[in-house]
Amino acid sequence: MRSALRCLVPLALLAVLACQRVAAPAVVYGPWEEGLTLAFEDPSQPQPQRFQDRIQIRVAQAAIAPGAPGLVRLDFSSTRGQLRILARHGGGGIDLVDENGRILARSLPPGFPDTSSWVDRGTEFTLVGRAAWEGAAVLPATADPVGVWVEARPSQGPRRRSLYLPNLGEVESREERNGSWIVVNRLVAMGFTDLPALKRP
């Protein structure tokens, strides 16, 4: 009898462990891998202006710990100049912060995409739903093409809908114009780039 109980105890422990829910890794709806470079264009513009106004975003630095990323430095560049932005990730949300950690804007709320609505600086945001991105041909085969549409209703100006993909963030935005949704921002290229090496004398 005792030998039978000795066999049952390990089996019972295995059964309990098997029934426990394993926490899925947090999904990050923003770029966070160092060196990742994303290029965006406004398809509503004619060429060559569309190409000339292209915006490039590069993940310059990421404070990565086990699990989700923490603080990510993003470098924006275009023909008009450059801009550096710090994005702080936490609990599914993304805040844009200054060098002192002060929140400048909330890109996504904590709990996203389970949070269905929120307000930031007078703009109301509503989660519209999940969808596969039509422009997924530019993504690598390993990327997830299914994302979340979010609608922004500012106190003034047109409504805007943005699609967020895992590990990339916003890949397409549409603006309501005369009753139609016009694409005004779209990811057109991506890859990994290194900073140019400094030449030493």
Side-chain angles (χ1 to χ4, degrees):
M1 185 71 172
R2 287 184 181 177
S3 62
L5 286 175
R6 285 187 193 132
C7 292
L8 286 175
V9 170
L11 291 175
L13 287 174
L14 286 174
V16 170
L17 291 173
C19 291
Q20 288 182 344
R21 297 180 68 181
V22 178
V27 177
V28 178
Y29 285 89
W32 59 271
E33 295 179 274
E34 280 194 11
L36 178 62
T37 304
L38 310 171
F40 295 85
E41 291 182 1
D42 180 352
S44 69
Q45 293 181 335
Q47 291 288 16
Q49 183 181 356
R50 181 193 307 180
F51 183 79
Q52 292 171 351
D53 290 346
R54 177 180 281 204
I55 295 174
Q56 180 176 287
I57 302 174
R58 181 180 181 277
V59 180
Q61 188 176 12
I64 302 297
L71 195 63
V72 177
R73 192 183 82 200
L74 304 172
D75 288 345
F76 288 67
S77 59
S78 70
T79 55
R80 293 188 177 90
Q82 296 181 341
L83 176 66
R84 176 168 293 168
I85 291 179
L86 292 174
R88 186 171 62 205
H89 296 253
I94 303 175
D95 291 328
L96 305 181
V97 299
D98 62 15
E99 296 288 346
N100 298 317
R102 184 172 57 95
I103 297 175
L104 304 175
R106 173 151 285 170
S107 179
L108 294 174
F112 184 84
D114 295 328
T115 304
S116 60
S117 63
W118 65 97
V119 177
D120 182 56
R121 295 181 301 166
T123 299
E124 297 179 3
F125 294 89
T126 305
L127 192 144
V128 177
R130 296 178 63 81
W133 185 38
E134 297 171 357
V138 303
L139 301 178
T142 56
D144 185 353
V146 178
V148 182
W149 281 102
V150 173
E151 180 173 298
R153 289 175 172 263
S155 55
Q156 295 181 342
R159 290 188 298 167
R160 189 178 178 108
R161 288 183 176 175
S162 300
L163 179 67
Y164 292 85
L165 290 186
N167 303 314
L168 296 174
E170 181 183 317
V171 294
E172 181 173 307
S173 287
R174 301 177 182 180
E175 192 174 272
E176 188 180 33
R177 296 179 182 175
N178 301 319
S180 299
W181 290 98
I182 308 299
V183 178
V184 294
N185 189 45
R186 177 180 284 158
L187 177 67
V188 294
M190 64 175 292
F192 284 85
T193 58
D194 294 323
L195 290 174
L198 296 175
K199 292 184 178 180
R200 298 181 182 270

